[in-house]
């Protein structure tokens, strides 16, 4: 595919997707399962081509691409197929006797509609296909906009998707910033964006004009904290790994490291050792910076830094290479602390863990926080005094891999979640349905709502303090006071249910023998 999607082609795709969703075609669970299986076959039959495209775009090796992109997508397909019947089934709320038992309250899972999914260049397959899987599972139509910076991957997706997936419900459109701006002028039922905080502001501004819900998967200056009680060598190895992986071009990468002064020198030495080890094992195979603009940005930040360059720093603009680099002795006003790095530069800040978490708390919330300490009290103290999208302790990235757990940001690192059922939920509208029986009209429950209103009915609506808390309780009382036992709550609910049944029987002239038995059962005689 040599050119971007034309306005006429976009109009056709847009109209087709909305027409298909209106037909109800994608709500069929059989259709959803069929499409999910097609995603599997698309990757199964084109794995070599997908890995080659990632190599072309990022110089990423097969193992790294399989681990980061292909494997995760295969897992998502299997997980969705395994659970889709359960995810899509109606939920039955704990609605009590009147709304639940008598009125059959239920929560239906309905697809939001046509979703626009905008992918990112750093994982150009994973970050557009995973949300697409969630959208398909939820029964949505999807318009996919791959990153134009990953040319080979963009063109391959534009070729493969219409061959394998239903083109009436799933379309790929391509374009640069101008084309994306035009796309965002249209109304969608949902927008899922992965990328930078800067671009996310344009996306949300466009979405707000149509009151379109969004999921924003962003990033931020993700910190690592290495305390005096850390396994220093292991911390250095794992931080070096995440800075080496994809050349640090990961929203979940370590941006900078706070290191306790007592282990600072040891950490810096071990970090340099592991960088050298990783590069030596695959000479020339390290992922490149995506383009000259980002390479210039990173090297410019490095050149303006007042810190001390203690490791790495080799660079080659022609091949967009930047060696993993360690910079120490930086201040909070340093260029390397001014923005999310998104590259293989690792600034080190001397600080004990209390100083570290105070600084982290004063900044925008990152997508990831990494804590290296063998002392659980230290770990819990850092978690308690900070906020982030997720946390991995004594390792990196692993919170994103937890099965059946949400992944997403908070504050400046984004909002909304996906992975597994959480992705399904993001593309789903929860629709409450209730169908009260006609005889409830004769009871005060529903009958008293009509004018003329009776003051005497107020007493029937009074909400009682069923938990028994008392005026004058202190903060300490809340720490001592036990919760109401579950069996007690259930017993109270049963008594209330029977009381309503008695009222119904009184109104509907149930034989007195049954009425007396019920009254004896709950002690009302």
């Amino acid at each position: 595919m040599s050119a971007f999607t034309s306005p006429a082609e976009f109009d056709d795709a847009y109209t087709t997707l909305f027409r298909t969703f209106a037909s109800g075609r994608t709500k069929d669970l059989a259709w959803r399962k069929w499409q999910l299986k097609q995603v599997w076959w698309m990757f199964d039959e084109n794995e070599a081509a997908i890995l080659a495209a990632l190599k072309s775009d990022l110089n990423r090796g097969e193992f790294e691409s399989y681990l980061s992109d292909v494997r995760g997508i295969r897992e998502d397909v299997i997980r969705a197929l395994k659970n889709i019947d359960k995810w899509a089934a109606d939920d039955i709320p704990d609605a009590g006797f009147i709304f639940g038992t008598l009125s059959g309250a239920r929560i239906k899972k309905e697809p939001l509609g046509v979703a626009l999914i905008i992918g990112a260049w750093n994982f150009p397959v994973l970050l557009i296909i995973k949300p697409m899987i969630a959208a398909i599972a939820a029964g949505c139509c999807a318009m996919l906009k791959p990153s134009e910076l990953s040319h080979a991957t963009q063109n391959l997706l534009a070729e493969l998707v219409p061959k394998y997936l239903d083109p009436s419900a799933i379309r790929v459109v391509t374009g640069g910033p101008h084309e994306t701006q035009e796309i965002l002028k249209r109304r969608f039922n949902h927008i899922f964006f992965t990328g930078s905080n800067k671009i996310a502001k344009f996306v949300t501004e466009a979405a707000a004009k149509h009151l379109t819900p969004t999921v924003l998967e962003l990033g931020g200056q993700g910190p690592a904290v290495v305390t005096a009680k850390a396994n220093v060598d292991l911390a250095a190895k794992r931080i070096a790994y995440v800075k080496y992986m994809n050349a640090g071009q990961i929203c979940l990468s370590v941006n900078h490291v706070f290191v306790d002064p007592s282990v600072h020198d040891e950490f810096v030495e071990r970090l340099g050792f592991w960088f050298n080890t990783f590069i030596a094992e695959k000479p020339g195979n390290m992922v490149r910076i995506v383009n000259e603009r980002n390479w210039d940005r990173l090297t410019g930040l490095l050149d303006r830094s007042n810190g001390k360059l203690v490791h790495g720093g080799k660079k080659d603009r022609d091949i967009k290479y930047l060696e993993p680099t360690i910079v120490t002795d930086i201040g909070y006003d340093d260029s390397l602390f001014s923005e999310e790095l998104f590259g293989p530069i690792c600034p080190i800040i001397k600080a004990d863990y209390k100083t570290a978490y105070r600084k982290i708390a004063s900044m925008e919330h990152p997508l990831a926080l990494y804590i290296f300490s063998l002392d659980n009290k230290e770990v819990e103290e850092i978690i308690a005094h900070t906020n982030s999208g997720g946390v991995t302790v004594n390792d990196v990235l692993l919170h994103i891999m937890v099965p059946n757990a949400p992944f997403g940001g908070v504050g400046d690192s984004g909002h909304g979640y996906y992975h597994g059922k959480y992705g399904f939920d993001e593309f789903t509208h929860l629709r409450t349905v209730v169908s009260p029986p006609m005889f409830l009209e004769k009871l005060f429950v529903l009958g008293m709502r009509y004018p003329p209103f009776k003051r005497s009915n107020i007493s029937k609506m009074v909400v009682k303090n069923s938990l028994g808390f008392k005026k004058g309780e202190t903060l300490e009382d809340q720490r001592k006071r036990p919760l109401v036992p579950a069996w007690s709550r259930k017993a109270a609910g049963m008594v209330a249910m029977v009381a309503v049944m008695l009222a119904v029987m009184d109104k509907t002239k149930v034989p007195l023998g049954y009425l007396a038995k019920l009254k004896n059962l709950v002690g009302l005689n």
Side-chain angles (χ1 to χ4, degrees), residues 157-321:
L157 289 173
E159 175 190 340
L160 293 179
V161 168
K163 286 184 179 178
Y164 285 83
L165 301 179
D166 184 346
S168 73
I170 301 157
R171 290 286 187 96
V172 174
V173 294
T174 60
H178 172 74
E179 288 79 10
T180 303
Q181 287 176 6
E182 292 301 310
I183 291 170
L184 288 169
K185 290 179 180 178
R186 301 295 188 98
R187 180 185 67 83
F188 290 89
N189 303 119
H190 186 280
I191 298 176
F192 192 110
F193 171 78
T194 303
S196 70
N197 179 282
K198 179 181 178 181
I199 303 302
K201 293 176 181 178
F202 293 106
V203 172
T204 52
E205 181 181 4
K209 293 178 181 178
H210 302 290
L211 300 179
T212 301
T214 61
V215 170
L216 303 178
E217 294 296 339
L218 310 179
Q221 293 176 272
V225 180
V226 180
T227 80
K229 296 180 180 179
N231 180 325
V232 176
D233 182 63
L234 192 60
K237 181 178 183 180
R238 289 174 172 173
I239 291 171
Y241 163 70
V242 79
K243 276 293 191 182
Y244 173 88
M245 182 183 182
N246 215 46
Q249 298 170 116
I250 310 174
C251 57
L252 288 161
S253 186
V254 170
N255 190 76
H256 50 272
V257 188
F258 295 97
V259 183
D260 190 275
S262 66
V263 296
H264 174 272
D265 292 349
E266 179 188 359
F267 175 81
V268 171
E269 185 274 324
R270 297 314 295 166
L271 186 66
F273 169 83
W274 287 113
F275 275 149
N276 286 337
T277 301
F278 296 156
I279 293 173
E281 290 207 0
K282 290 185 176 181
N285 277 357
M286 183 175 166
V287 171
R288 301 298 190 245
I289 306 305
V290 67
N291 56 23
E292 287 83 0
R293 180 172 60 84
N294 277 281
W295 188 93
D296 290 341
R297 178 185 64 83
L298 284 166
T299 55
L301 290 172
L302 190 58
D303 291 342
R304 294 194 302 273
S305 174
N306 294 317
K308 181 181 179 182
L309 196 157
V310 298
H311 180 91
K314 294 178 183 176
K315 50 194 177 182
D316 186 333
R317 193 175 190 273
D318 290 339
I319 59 172
K320 300 184 291 294
Y321 172 73

Side-chain angles (χ1 to χ4, degrees), residues 129 213 402:
I129 299 299
V402 178

Side-chain angles (χ1 to χ4, degrees), residues 220-227 230 235 238-239 241-243 245 250-259 353 356-357 360 366-373 379 382-383 386-401 407:
Q221 293 176 272
V225 180
V226 180
T227 80
R238 289 174 172 173
I239 291 171
Y241 163 70
V242 79
K243 276 293 191 182
M245 182 183 182
I250 310 174
C251 57
L252 288 161
S253 186
V254 170
N255 190 76
H256 50 272
V257 188
F258 295 97
V259 183
Y353 76 92
Y357 70 61
I360 294 167
L367 186 59
L369 168 64
Y370 301 112
I371 304 170
F372 292 88
S373 173
V379 171
I382 295 169
I383 293 174
T386 56
N387 202 349
S388 64
V391 181
T392 296
V393 179
N394 291 318
D395 213 318
V396 292
L397 304 179
L398 295 189
H399 64 276
I400 194 178
M401 302 177 189
F407 170 72

Side-chain angles (χ1 to χ4, degrees), residues 147 287 361 368 426:
S147 172
V287 171
E426 286 292 355

